[in-house]
C-alpha cells in the first residue's frame, strides 16, 4: 500500500492538515501536497480508467506529463473535468471524482473492452461497423461516443472569471529550475529586463530532489539564494504557477497563470493569460523521463522512477512497501537510494545493461540492494495493483528466470528534453544517438522578424542531463561570461537504448506493452500500423491515436517513434517526430476568452439618445455592434401595429428618427475630390460647396458595397454618409486604397460617426418643427432639396442637411454627440403640437420601400451591380475610371440578360415572403429547378393597405405586368405581378415642397 | 484487397492481426502514366478514384510531396453540409454530401460519416432573412433544409445559451443530413481503393517542374525522377499557385492560414454541428469527445501552417458566449492549415491555358465537405477534357467574364 512517511517531505507543512474528498470519501493531506501526493498518502493508487479499454489507471508521474490520473474537480459552477492530480494543489475542501467508468471506479462495466482488446486493435473501427448503413448513426456511433469521452460535462455557467494581461521583456525564461534560475540571473546581471516563469508552486525543479551540490552547497540552499537574489533585482519579474504555454511568431509568448486554482472562490480571477512580447525566450523546461515498454507496464503501481523519488522526497509519501527499480541508465539508481534513505524496501534494481559499473550503482550495491545486470521485466503481475514482477534476460524472448514480489515498479527508460517551445515556431531537432534523444539543433533555431534566433534552450531542455552540464549550458544560453555555477555529483555511465523489454518479446507480450496509457495504444498497435502501410509518423499517430490524448504524448511519443522505426527497419531520425503544437499542457478556454464575456463580449454601441429610446418602449434590433429601435411599442400594441402607426404618422405629420448610427466620414485634402471620384461611381469633385449628392460605392469586382449622401462642406472637404453597418468597413476601405495604392495623394480621412448625433425630422410638417426651434432659415428657397447649411437651431450648433430617404419633406440635423439627447428632446417638445412621434428602423424600411429606394444588404448581397438596380443615372459616363468600372465592363456584367430591380405586387394583396424565388420552366443540367427572380424587400404598406415588394427579376424592367410564381412554404405558390418599384408619390413631389 | 468486415477482424484477431495487408502499396514511380494527379489529399485521391470507377482510367499516379492526407484533408474541422445559396455550389456540395452517405460502403472503409444535423444560427434580423432565403433556394435545388425557431434550437443543443445577452439566437438554418466524418479516414479509404485498382500513390515525392511542349503537357520532374503523362491534374490547395507557375500560368488564388482547435475530450454533450456566423465560430463534438472548434482566416497571405493567436481568442470568445460551459474546458491542441482563397470564395475546376493540364483548387475554407463531389466532377473533366454540368460553372473563365459564384452572402464565416 502507499502511505505517508513519518518523516521528511521538503514541500509539505505537517502543521497544516487539509481535508478533501475523493469519490465522496473524506481524506486528509497537508498544505504543500499535490492532489497526487495526497491520494497516495491515503493509499489511493487507482484514480481512473483508460479511454478505450477502461483499464485501471494509477498515478504514473509527478508533474505535467501525467497521462492517467485525471479527475473531475470542484462542483456545480466550479466543476472542471480532466484535471491532472499531479499538477493540482490540495486545498481545504477540495472535491474530486474519478472519471470514465460505470458504475464505479472499482467495478467498471466498460472494462469488458479490455477482455476484447484482441478484437479491438488500432483502427478496428475503420474496418467494422459498415453494415447496415443506418446503424453507424443510430447504434454504433452513439455507443462509441458514450464509451469514449473522458470527463463529465460541466453543466452550469462558469462562476469564475478570467483575465488577460500584457507584458514586455528582453528575455522570458520558461522554467524555474536551476537552469532557469541560472539563465535569469545571468541575463538580469547583464541588465536585461527578465521575466522568469515557473509552472509549479515552487522554485528549483528537480535538482533539490536529486541531491547534487551546487557551488559547494545543497541544491535547496543554492535555489533559495538564487531566488532571493532575483527578487532583489528591479529588472526581474518572477511568477510561480505560470506556464509558458506556447511560442508564436515574432517572440510572442503566451503564459498561463493559475492564479486561484488552489484558492477557488477567493475573488481573484481563476486564470490569467499573459500575452508577452519577448526579445528572446529561453526554454529551461527540463526533461521528461521515459517509461519502459514491458508487458503490464500500465498496471497501477508501475511509475516513473523519478516520480517515485519525488513523492518520497518532496511529499514524504511512499508509493508502496516494496519496490523494484527497472532501468537502462544510472539516474534511476537515485530512486533506489531515496527509497532506502526513507527506510523503504527495494527488492532489486533490474538493469537492462549487460554490465553495470559507476558511482550510483556502487552506492546502491553498498546498501545491500540486489542489482540484476542484463535483465528485464517479462511481465508485471497484478490487476488493479502490482503484486510482483517476472524477471527475464533483456536479450531473450521473455523466459522467466525468477519472480519478485513488489507493489511498486519504478521504471526509467532515459530522458527526453522538453523541446515544445523550441519547436512551436519552427525550431528544428537533431537526434542525439548517445543519449537516445531528440534535442534542439542550435544551428536551426526558430527565427524572429529579422532572421535572428528567437528562442534558446537551457539545461536539460538542451539535452544536458548532469547538473554541472545543466548549469554551464544555462549560463551560456543567457550569454553569460566567466564561470557558470559549479556542481559536484556522481559521474554517470552511458545509458542503453531499450525500446521494448525483453528485446525478443513475441506478440503476446507486445500486445500488453503500453505506449500511450490514456488512449490505450500498445507496441502491437504501432507495429500493426506499420504493417498496414501507415508508415509516416503522422499516419501512425492518427491511425493508432498515439500521443493524441490530453498528455499530448509526453510519455509515449519517443517510445512510439522508436517502435515504428524498428518496424520500418529504419533509423529513428529517418522517421522524424510529429509536429509540436501549442499549448504545452492544456489551458482553460476561459483564460483564452478572458474578460470578454456576457455584456462585454463585444462593445455595445449606443447613441446619445439610447436611454430615451429605452424609456419610450423601444424594441431593439442589433445592427452590427449598435442597437437601434426597431419600433416604439405603446401599451397594447404589437410590433406590427407600432410600425404601421409610425409610418402613417410620418407620412401625415412628423416622424423623428435617430440616425446617429449612420456613418459620417470626413474626407479632406488637396486630392480629396479626385479620390472621391475614384471611390464613387458618380462625380463628387464638381459638387458645389453646400450641395449634397447621392453616391454609390463599388468594390474592384464591380459589386455595389455602400451608398449614401456626400456633402461638399468646403473647398477641400467632403462629408461622406455611409450605411450604419458600412461606417467602419468603408473607412477601412478608403484607408486601404489610400495607403496601398494612392499613398502619394494628399487626402486625410476621419470617421466622425460617433462625434455627431443625427436626427432625421421627416414629414409634411417637418419645416414647422424646425421653424419653431428657430435660428436658421430652413425655407424652400434658402435650403432647397439636396443642400446643406450650418447654423444654430434652437440654440444648438447644427449641421442641417435637406435630404430624404422616405420621399417626404425631410431634414437631417447633426449636432455634437454631447448635445444629442438634449437636441432630440427639444425636437420632441417642439414637435408635440404637430404630432411628432419617433419611428424605428422598420418604419424606415417601409417608408423607403414605398418609394422604391434600395437598401444596401437588402437589394444588394455582394453579387449585385448598380446597373442591376436601375441606378445607371448615378454612374458617370464621362469619368475615365472609378473603382469597379473595368469589372462592370466584363461580358457577364454587361450582359443585358441579368436579374434587375422591379416592384412586385401579389395578386391577392398579401405580403410576399422575404427571399422567395420566382420559378422558371424546367430544370437545369444539375436537375435543379430553374429560377428567374427573387424577393429582396417585402413589407405591408399601411398607406397603400397592401403588400409591396421589390425584387430582382430576369430582364424585369422589360416585363412589366407579367405574373410570376413564387413557391413558398408547405407547397403553396404565391403569384405576383411585375410593377414599377415606386409605389408612392411617383413624381417625387412631397420631398420637394 | 482483403475486404474489411467484422468477420475479417475476428479472423485476424485469432492470429494476432499478423495477416493484414498494406492499406495501399508504396510503388516506385513508372516512366509514364495516362494521368498524373499532383496532390494526394482528399480531392486528388477522390479524383483518381472516380477516374477509375466512373471512366475506367486506371493507369494513374497520385504524387504527394509529404504524406497522403497531410494537408487540409487532415487539418479541417470535418464539417459536411450542402446548404449553399447559389445553384452551382449547392449542386456540387449536395453531390458530395450524397456520396458521403454511402462512402463507407463504397470504399469498404469506415469514414464514419455521421449525418447528425447541422445548425447555422441566426443572431441578427439580417441573418434571419438570409437563411430564410437560403431555405427557399435549397428547396428548389433539391437540398433539404429548414428554418427552425429558437425553441427547437435549444431542444437540439441543450448546452447552448440562446438568450444572449449580446446576440440572442433568433432561429437557425437546419440541415438534418449535414454532419461530420472522420477526415483522415476519407483520405485513407480513397487511397486504399485507388491502390486496389492498380493506381500508384507515390508519397515523399515533390514536383520540381512541369514539362510542356507547344502548349501541351509532356510530364513532370520530381524528386524521384521524371514522369511522363498525357494529362496532368493539379490538386494541391494552398500551393496551387506554385504548381501553376511551374506550368506557365497564373491563378487568382490567395493562400492564408486558417486555424482550428480542440478541447480535451468529455462525455457526449452536443449531437449536432453548430455554426454561428455573427459571433464567428463553429463547433462540433468528435466521437472521441473533443469539442472541435474553428473560426476565421488570417487577413494576410502566408504559407506557414500556423496563424495569428488573435483568431483563437476571438473564436473562443464567440463560442463561450454561445456555450457558457465551455470556459471550464481546456484547449488541448491548436493548429493551422493553408487555405486557397478565390475572389468569389468558390472553387476552380477548370481546363487551363496549357493543353492537358487541369486544376482543382480554390476550395478555401470549405474543401473537406466537397471531397467526393469534387473528385467526381474533376474525374469527368480530366477524362473527357471538358467539364460536365457539376464543374461547368467553376471554370477559370468566370473571373474574366465577371460570372462570379459568390457565397459570401450565405457564409460570412470560414467553415
Amino acid at each position: 500500500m502507499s502511505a505517508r512517511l513519518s518523516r521528511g517531505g521538503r514541500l509539505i507543512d505537517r502543521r497544516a492538515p487539509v481535508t478533501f474528498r475523493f469519490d465522496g470519501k473524506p481524506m486528509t493531506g497537508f498544505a504543500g501536497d499535490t492532489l497526487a501526493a495526497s491520494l497516495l498518502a491515503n493509499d489511493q493508487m487507482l484514480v481512473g480508467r483508460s479511454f478505450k479499454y477502461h483499464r485501471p489507471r494509477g498515478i504514473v508521474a509527478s508533474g505535467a506529463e501525467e497521462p492517467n490520473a485525471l479527475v473531475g474537480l470542484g462542483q456545480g459552477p466550479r466543476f472542471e473535468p480532466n484535471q491532472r492530480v499531479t499538477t493540482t494543489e490540495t486545498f481545504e475542501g477540495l472535491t474530486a471524482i474519478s472519471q470514465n467508468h460505470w458504475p464505479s471506479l472499482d467495478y467498471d462495466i466498460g472494462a469488458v473492452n479490455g477482455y476484447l482488446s484482441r478484437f479491438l486493435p488500432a483502427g478496428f473501427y475503420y474496418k467494422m461497423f459498415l453494415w447496415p448503413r443506418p446503424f453507424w448513426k443510430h447504434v454504433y456511433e452513439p455507443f462509441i461516443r458514450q464509451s469514449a469521452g473522458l470527463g463529465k460535462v460541466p453543466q452550469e455557467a462558469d462562476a469564475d472569471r478570467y483575465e488577460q494581461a500584457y507584458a514586455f521583456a528582453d528575455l522570458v525564461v520558461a522554467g524555474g529550475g536551476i537552469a532557469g534560475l541560472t539563465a535569469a540571473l545571468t541575463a538580469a546581471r547583464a541588465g536585461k529586463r527578465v521575466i522568469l516563469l515557473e509552472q509549479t508552486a515552487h522554485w528549483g525543479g528537480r535538482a533539490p530532489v536529486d541531491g547534487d551540490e551546487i557551488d559547494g552547497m545543497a541544491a535547496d540552499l543554492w535555489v533559495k539564494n538564487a531566488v532571493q537574489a532575483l527578487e532583489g533585482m528591479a529588472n526581474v519579474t518572477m511568477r510561480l504557477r505560470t506556464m509558458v504555454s506556447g511560442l508564436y511568431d515574432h517572440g510572442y509568448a503566451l503564459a498561463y497563470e493559475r492564479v486561484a486554482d488552489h484558492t477557488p472562490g477567493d475573488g481573484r480571477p481563476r486564470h490569467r493569460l499573459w500575452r508577452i512580447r519577448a526579445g528572446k525566450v529561453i526554454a529551461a523546461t527540463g526533461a521528461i523521463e521515459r517509461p519502459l515498454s514491458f508487458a503490464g507496464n500500465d498496471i497501477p503501481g508501475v511509475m516513473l522512477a523519478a516520480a517515485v523519488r519525488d513523492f518520497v522526497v518532496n511529499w514524504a509519501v511512499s508509493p508502496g512497501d516494496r519496490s523494484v527499480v527497472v532501468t537502462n541508465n544510472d539516474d534511476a539508481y537515485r530512486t533506489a537510494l531515496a527509497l532506502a534513505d526513507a527506510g523503504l524496501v527495494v527488492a532489486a534494481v533490474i538493469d537492462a545493461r549487460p554490465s553495470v559499473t559507476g558511482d550510483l550503482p556502487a552506492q546502491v550495491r553498498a546498501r545491500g540492494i540486489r542489482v540484476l545486470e542484463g535483465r528485464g521485466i517479462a511481465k508485471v503481475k497484478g490487476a488493479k495493483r502490482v503484486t510482483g514482477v517476472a524477471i527475464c534476460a533483456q536479450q531473450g524472448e521473455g523466459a522467466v528466470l525468477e519472480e519478485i514480489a513488489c507493489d511498486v515498479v519504478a521504471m526509467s527508460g532515459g530522458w527526453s528534453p522538453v523541446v515544445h517551445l523550441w519547436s512551436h515556431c519552427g525550431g528544428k531537432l537533431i537526434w542525439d544517438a548517445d543519449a537516445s534523444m531528440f534535442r534542439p539543433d542550435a544551428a536551426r533555431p526558430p527565427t524572429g522578424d529579422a532572421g535572428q534566433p528567437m528562442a534558446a534552450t537551457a539545461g536539460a531542455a538542451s539535452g544536458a542531463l548532469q547538473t554541472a552540464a545543466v548549469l554551464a549550458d544555462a549560463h551560456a544560453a543567457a550569454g553569460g561570461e566567466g564561470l557558470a555555477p559549479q556542481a559536484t555529483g556522481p559521474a554517470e555511465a552511458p545509458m542503453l537504448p531499450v525500446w521494448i523489454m525483453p528485446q525478443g518479446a513475441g506478440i503476446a507480450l507486445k500486445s500488453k506493452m503500453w505506449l500511450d496509457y490514456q488512449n490505450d495504444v500498445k507496441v502491437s498497435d504501432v507495429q500493426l500500423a506499420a504493417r498496414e502501410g501507415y508508415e509516416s509518423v503522422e499516419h501512425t499517430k492518427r491511425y493508432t491515436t498515439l500521443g493524441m490524448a490530453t498528455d499530448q504524448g509526453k510519455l509515449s511519443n519517443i517510445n512510439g517513434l522508436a517502435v515504428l522505426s524498428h518496424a520500418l527497419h529504419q533509423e529513428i531520425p529517418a522517421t522524424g517526430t510529429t509536429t509540436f503544437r501549442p499549448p504545452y499542457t492544456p489551458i482553460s478556454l476561459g483564460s483564452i476568452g478572458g474578460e470578454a464575456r456576457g455584456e462585454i463580449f463585444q462593445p455595445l454601441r449606443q447613441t446619445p439618445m439610447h436611454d430615451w429610446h429605452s424609456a419610450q418602449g423601444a424594441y431593439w434590433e442589433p445592427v452590427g455592434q449598435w442597437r437601434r429601435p426597431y419600433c416604439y411599442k405603446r401599451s397594447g400594441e404589437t410590433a406590427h401595429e407600432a410600425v404601421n402607426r409610425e409610418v402613417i404618422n410620418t407620412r401625415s405629420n412628423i416622424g423623428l428618427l435617430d440616425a446617429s448610427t449612420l456613418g459620417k466620414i470626413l474626407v479632406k485634402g488637396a486630392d480629396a475630390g479626385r479620390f472621391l471620384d475614384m471611390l464613387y461611381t458618380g462625380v463628387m469633385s464638381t459638387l458645389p460647396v453646400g450641395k449634397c449628392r447621392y453616391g454609390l460605392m463599388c468594390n474592384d469586382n464591380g459589386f455595389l458595397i455602400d451608398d449614401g449622401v456626400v456633402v461638399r462642406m468646403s473647398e477641400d472637404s467632403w462629408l461622406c454618409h455611409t450605411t450604419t453597418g458600412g461606417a467602419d468597413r468603408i473607412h477601412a476601405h478608403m484607408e486601404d486604397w489610400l495607403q496601398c495604392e494612392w499613398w502619394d495623394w494628399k487626402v486625410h480621412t476621419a470617421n466622425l460617426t460617433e462625434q455627431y448625433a443625427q436626427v432625421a425630422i421627416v414629414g409634411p410638417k417637418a419645416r414647422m418643427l424646425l421653424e419653431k426651434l428657430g435660428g436658421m432659415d430652413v425655407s424652400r428657397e434658402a435650403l432647397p432639396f439636396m443642400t446643406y447649411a450650418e447654423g444654430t437651431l434652437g440654440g444648438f450648433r447644427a449641421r442641417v442637411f435637406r435630404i430624404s430617404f422616405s420621399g417626404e419633406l425631410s431634414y437631417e440635423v447633426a449636432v455634437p454627440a454631447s448635445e444629442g439627447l438634449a437636441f432630440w428632446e427639444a425636437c420632441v417638445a417642439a414637435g408635440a403640437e404637430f404630432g411628432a412621434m419617433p419611428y424605428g428602423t422598420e418604419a424606415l424600411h417601409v417608408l423607403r420601400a414605398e418609394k422604391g429606394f434600395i437598401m444596401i444588404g437588402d437589394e444588394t448581397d455582394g453579387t449585385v451591380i448598380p446597373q442591376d438596380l436601375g441606378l445607371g443615372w448615378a454612374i458617370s459616363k464621362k469619368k475615365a475610371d472609378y473603382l469597379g468600372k473595368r469589372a462592370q465592363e466584363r461580358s457577364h456584367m454587361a450582359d443585358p440578360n441579368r436579374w434587375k430591380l422591379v416592384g412586385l405586387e401579389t395578386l391577392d394583396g398579401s405580403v410576399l415572403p422575404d427571399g422567395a424565388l420566382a420559378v422558371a420552366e424546367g430544370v437545369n443540367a444539375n436537375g435543379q429547378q430553374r429560377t428567374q427572380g427573387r424577393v429582396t424587400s417585402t413589407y405591408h404598406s399601411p398607406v397603400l393597405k397592401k403588400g409591396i415588394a421589390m425584387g430582382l427579376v430576369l430582364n424585369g424592367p422589360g416585363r412589366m405586368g407579367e405574373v410570376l410564381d413564387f413557391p413558398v412554404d408547405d407547397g403553396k405558390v404565391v403569384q405576383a405581378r411585375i410593377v414599377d418599384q415606386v409605389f408612392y408619390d411617383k413624381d417625387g413631389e412631397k420631398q420637394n415642397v | 484487397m482483403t475486404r474489411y468486415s467484422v468477420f475479417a477482424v475476428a479472423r485476424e484477431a485469432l492470429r494476432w492481426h499478423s495477416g493484414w495487408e498494406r492499406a495501399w502499396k508504396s510503388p516506385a514511380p513508372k516512366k509514364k502514366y495516362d494521368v498524373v494527379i499532383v496532390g494526394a489529399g482528399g480531392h486528388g485521391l477522390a479524383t483518381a478514384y472516380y477516374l477509375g470507377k466512373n471512366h475506367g482510367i486506371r493507369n494513374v499516379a497520385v504524387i504527394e510531396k509529404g504524406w497522403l492526407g497531410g494537408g487540409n484533408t487532415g487539418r479541417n474541422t470535418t464539417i459536411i453540409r450542402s446548404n449553399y445559396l447559389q445553384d452551382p455550389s449547392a449542386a456540387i456540395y449536395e453531390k458530395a454530401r450524397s456520396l458521403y452517405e454511402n462512402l463507407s460502403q463504397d470504399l469498404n472503409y469506415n469514414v464514419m460519416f455521421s449525418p447528425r444535423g447541422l445548425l447555422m444560427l441566426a443572431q441578427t434580423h439580417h441573418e434571419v432573412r438570409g437563411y430564410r432565403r437560403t431555405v427557399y433556394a435549397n428547396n428548389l435545388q433539391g437540398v433539404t433544409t429548414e428554418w427552425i425557431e429558437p425553441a427547437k434550437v435549444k431542444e437540439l443543443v441543450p448546452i447552448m445559451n440562446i438568450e444572449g445577452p449580446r446576440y440572442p439566437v433568433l432561429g437557425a438554418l437546419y440541415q438534418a443530413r449535414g454532419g461530420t466524418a472522420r477526415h483522415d479516414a476519407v483520405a485513407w479509404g480513397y487511397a486504399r481503393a485507388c491502390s486496389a485498382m492498380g493506381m500508384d500513390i507515390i508519397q515523399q515525392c515533390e514536383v520540381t517542374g512541369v514539362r510542356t511542349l507547344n502548349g501541351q503537357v509532356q510530364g513532370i520532374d520530381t524528386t524521384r525522377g521524371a514522369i511522363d503523362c498525357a494529362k496532368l491534374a493539379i490538386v494541391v490547395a494552398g500551393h496551387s499557385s506554385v504548381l501553376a507557375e511551374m506550368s506557365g500560368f497564373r491563378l487568382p488564388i490567395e493562400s492564408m492560414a486558417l486555424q482550428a482547435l480542440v478541447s480535451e475530450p468529455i462525455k457526449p454533450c452536443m449531437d449536432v454541428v453548430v455554426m454561428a456566423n455573427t459571433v464567428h465560430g463553429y463547433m462540433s463534438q468528435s466521437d472521441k469527445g473533443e469539442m472541435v472548434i474553428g473560426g476565421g482566416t488570417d487577413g494576410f497571405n502566408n504559407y506557414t501552417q500556423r496563424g495569428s493567436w488573435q483568431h483563437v481568442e476571438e473564436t473562443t470568445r464567440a463560442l463561450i458566449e454561445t456555450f457558457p460551459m465551455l470556459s471550464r474546458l481546456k484547449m488541448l491542441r491548436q493548429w493551422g492549415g493553408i487555405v486557397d482563397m478565390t475572389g468569389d470564395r468558390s472553387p476552380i475546376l477548370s481546363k487551363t491555358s496549357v493543353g492537358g493540364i487541369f486544376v482543382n483548387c480554390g476550395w478555401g475554407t470549405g474543401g473537406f465537405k466537397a471531397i467526393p463531389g469534387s473528385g467526381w466532377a474533376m474525374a469527368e473533366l480530366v477524362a473527357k477534357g471538358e467539364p460536365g454540368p457539376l464543374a461547368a460553372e467553376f471554370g477559370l473563365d468566370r473571373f474574366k467574364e465577371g460570372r462570379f459564384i459568390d457565397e459570401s452572402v450565405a457564409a460570412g464565416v470560414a467553415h
Side-chain angles (χ1 to χ4, degrees), chain A residues 41-299:
Chain A
N42 287 274
D43 194 24
Q44 187 69 48
M45 175 62 86
L46 177 66
V47 285
R49 293 274 172 170
S50 65
F51 193 86
K52 183 173 172 186
Y53 300 135
H54 290 241
R55 297 265 296 179
R57 286 287 176 251
I59 295 162
V60 170
S62 58
E65 67 276 26
E66 172 63 40
N68 281 344
L70 308 176
V71 296
L73 203 66
Q75 288 173 304
R78 291 209 158 86
F79 173 79
E80 178 175 26
N82 303 333
Q83 273 287 48
R84 260 184 199 84
V85 300
T86 50
T87 57
T88 300
E89 296 173 51
T90 309
F91 55 85
E92 181 62 36
L94 176 153
T95 60
I97 52 167
S98 55
Q99 301 191 148
N100 207 35
H101 50 67
W102 187 86
S104 76
L105 179 58
D106 276 321
Y107 303 98
D108 178 13
I109 295 287
V112 69
N113 289 359
Y115 298 108
L116 296 173
S117 66
R118 198 158 159 179
F119 295 89
L120 309 174
F124 74 94
Y125 31 74
Y126 298 122
K127 296 169 179 158
M128 294 161 59
F129 309 126
L130 291 165
W131 301 100
R133 190 171 68 89
F135 270 45
W136 176 254
K137 181 186 173 190
H138 296 290
V139 180
Y140 304 136
E141 186 181 47
F143 178 77
I144 287 174
R145 287 183 69 194
Q146 202 58 50
S147 161
L150 265 184
K152 287 190 173 156
V153 181
Q155 296 293 338
E156 296 177 41
D158 198 338
D160 281 309
R161 65 192 179 89
Y162 304 82
E163 155 177 304
Q164 297 184 333
Y166 292 91
F168 304 87
D170 298 320
L171 177 67
V172 166
V173 179
I178 57 169
L181 292 168
T182 300
L185 273 171
T186 308
R189 283 177 181 144
K192 299 238 170 69
R193 285 178 308 160
V194 177
I195 296 176
L196 173 62
L197 305 169
E198 162 59 35
Q199 64 181 352
T200 71
H202 307 280
W203 301 106
R206 297 206 49 77
V209 177
D210 288 352
D212 288 358
E213 289 195 341
I214 305 174
D215 287 343
M217 62 188 102
D220 248 337
L221 184 58
W222 185 89
V223 167
K224 198 175 147 205
N225 292 344
V227 169
Q228 257 175 14
L230 285 162
E231 282 172 347
M233 299 169 91
N235 54 334
V236 177
T237 307
M238 304 165 73
R239 280 182 192 277
L240 289 170
R241 302 187 176 95
T242 307
M243 171 193 70
V244 180
S245 66
L247 181 57
Y248 301 83
D249 288 286
H250 304 142
Y252 194 60
L254 286 183
Y256 177 62
E257 182 177 7
R258 297 172 64 188
V259 181
D261 265 347
H262 60 299
T263 56
D266 70 347
R268 294 186 296 168
R270 184 161 84 111
H271 299 147
R272 187 180 289 131
L273 191 66
W274 288 91
R275 302 185 284 189
I276 309 174
R277 195 62 77 172
K280 193 170 182 180
V281 173
I282 290 184
T285 43
I288 289 174
E289 195 166 21
R290 293 198 288 257
L292 285 165
S293 300
F294 46 82
N297 63 347
D298 71 321
I299 297 171

Side-chain angles (χ1 to χ4, degrees), chain B residues 43 76 78-84 92-97 100 118 275 363 365-374 414-415:
Chain B
H43 292 262
N76 63 82
T78 80
I79 295 171
I80 292 166
R81 64 183 180 91
S82 61
N83 55 351
Y84 282 72
I92 197 163
Y93 284 105
E94 176 61 13
K95 177 71 183 178
R97 200 205 59 76
Y100 266 123
L118 176 140
M275 309 181 69
W363 293 96
T365 61
F368 176 71
K369 62 181 68 65
I371 284 172
S374 162
H415 43 105

